[in-house]
Amino acid sequence: MNRSIFREYDVRGTFMKTLFPKDAFDIGVSFGALCAVKAGDGCGELLVCVARDGRLSSPELFENLVRGLVSAGVTVIDCGVGPTPYLYWTDFYLRPAGAVMVTGSHNPSSDNGFKLTVKQAPLFGDALRAMCDMSTQFIGGDRQKRGKVVECDYRNLYVNALINSVEHGLHGFCENIVWDPGFGASAEILHMIAARLPGNHFIINGKIDGSFPGATPDPTDPGRVERLKEFIATHECAAGFAFDGDADRLVVADEFGEILAGDELFAHFISHKLATDGGKCNCIVDVKFSDILKFDLEHKGAKIRQAKTGHVHIKSSMRELERSIAGEVSGHYFFSDDWNGCDDSIYAALRFMNVMKANNRRLSEWSSHLPPRYASRELRLNCPEDVKWKVAENIKCRLENVSISEIDGIRITCDDGWWLVRPSQTEEKVVVRWESPTVDGYSKMERRIMMLLRSSGVAV
């Protein structure tokens, strides 16, 4: 296998270029062996849940993955086509030895991959890379060729759980809401949910189409949400929700079609939690989160911990905080107070409707209650794989008289504010963001950052 497909959080590559059907088979064999080892002797039937998104390459990868799992003696629970949060929910519901989602997430339609969990915990980092090296000695014995496939559709149970989790707070909700799955894997489930919600609900780009016609699977791409903005204006919607290809990312637009920044959106979740839980809120944010919002929320009573970007790092941190919530600027939101702690953007959207009803004012008015700040959006700049890992170190060597955090890439605190440069773990990109309390400080940092990036080999 091409070792580049083993990323920090998951397996991901370009289909028939770096990721091939045989890789899916080999990963199935190795993952089945790993689950058998983790389960131990006498575990009985070895269950692994598998689901796939709607990408054109997913059926072939799914078929080969399942063949590999079965050859390792695994009973595969085929959960069908759906979003990643659906598989996460099924994983927690059934408690199998492992679970695999075939998905390219927010990556271009040509990409695909696998997200894996063992005993409801994500498999990542060195453990993920070591999996592909597992010897076939673990696959022998009485499990050899005794696996099977069982088809099970848990979507209705998942939808029931979602509705039950939020319906009390939505009594009397009467707004117009538009939902945009972007032709992704959440489309069918969103139709099921919208039919049961109070208010008036519209769905655009509402069928699963792995070619993602005229769009991208990434809702943080400004071009992706143009139709959403137009629909909001035409139908006088109070908000719009957009999802990535496997629905673990959420983007929210206000009644004017303006996109709420990811940290601003999470700040509203935190404020609502403080208001409804006696002024208590344990939360986790990633390194791209606003310092200005963080200080304001801590002043109001929130206990905030900073973690590395990435759902696996956030989930690991959440296990240490009871009934916590977490958010990433990229649009991943996690709730372990009333949900399973996974980045389920469908649940996050429903919960945000609760926040909207409790606030009882237009989304565009919410920002007036936040402290003033000037922040870039999350910039994802193209950068070759062999270059992106060196950029942060190249820049760090040229900085003086600043405070540097290396939790994830480099995060610089200076007189004008703060800025961040880190390599993307899922794409050939470098991620950049900066924030200042003043316009002048924002502009000065922007010029400095762009100069440093260009001199480090990044095409700005």
Side-chain angles (χ1 to χ4, degrees), residues 103-172:
T103 181
S105 192
H106 65 280
N107 279 35
S109 59
S110 57
D111 289 3
N112 216 325
F114 308 94
K115 296 180 179 179
L116 306 102
T117 67
V118 177
K119 292 186 174 180
Q120 295 72 59
L123 183 67
F124 68 100
D126 291 339
L128 176 62
R129 288 182 282 271
M131 180 201 70
C132 77
D133 297 325
M134 288 197 67
S135 169
T136 54
Q137 63 181 309
F138 296 114
I139 308 175
D142 61 355
R143 292 193 185 281
Q144 187 70 26
K145 297 182 180 179
R146 288 185 56 193
K148 61 183 178 180
V149 180
V150 179
E151 295 184 1
C152 296
D153 187 346
Y154 294 98
R155 290 182 303 168
N156 280 322
L157 290 176
Y158 171 59
V159 169
N160 286 341
L162 286 167
I163 296 295
N164 291 339
S165 70
V166 296
E167 63 179 351
H168 176 74
L170 291 180
H171 289 314

Side-chain angles (χ1 to χ4, degrees), residues 39-45 143:
D41 295 334
C43 68
E45 192 173 27
R143 292 193 185 281

Side-chain angles (χ1 to χ4, degrees), residues 290-297 371-374 418 435-437:
S290 162
D291 265 359
I292 295 172
L293 293 180
K294 178 175 177 287
F295 295 149
D296 179 64
L297 292 164
R373 66 194 184 105
Y374 300 88
W418 68 270
E435 177 189 59
S436 176

Side-chain angles (χ1 to χ4, degrees), residues 189-254:
I189 282 177
L190 290 182
H191 280 284
M192 297 166 67
I193 290 171
R196 296 177 55 181
L197 291 175
N200 303 306
H201 298 270
F202 309 91
I203 298 179
I204 62 173
N205 303 321
K207 64 177 182 178
I208 297 176
D209 186 338
S211 65
F212 301 99
T216 167
D218 186 358
T220 64
D221 185 323
R224 156 65 197 282
V225 292
E226 285 305 311
R227 188 182 174 199
L228 178 72
K229 293 181 177 183
E230 294 171 2
F231 196 96
I232 288 172
T234 303
H235 293 78
E236 297 182 347
C237 295
F241 300 135
F243 304 84
D244 71 335
D246 69 331
D248 60 2
R249 290 189 180 208
L250 171 68
V251 163
V252 176
D254 69 16

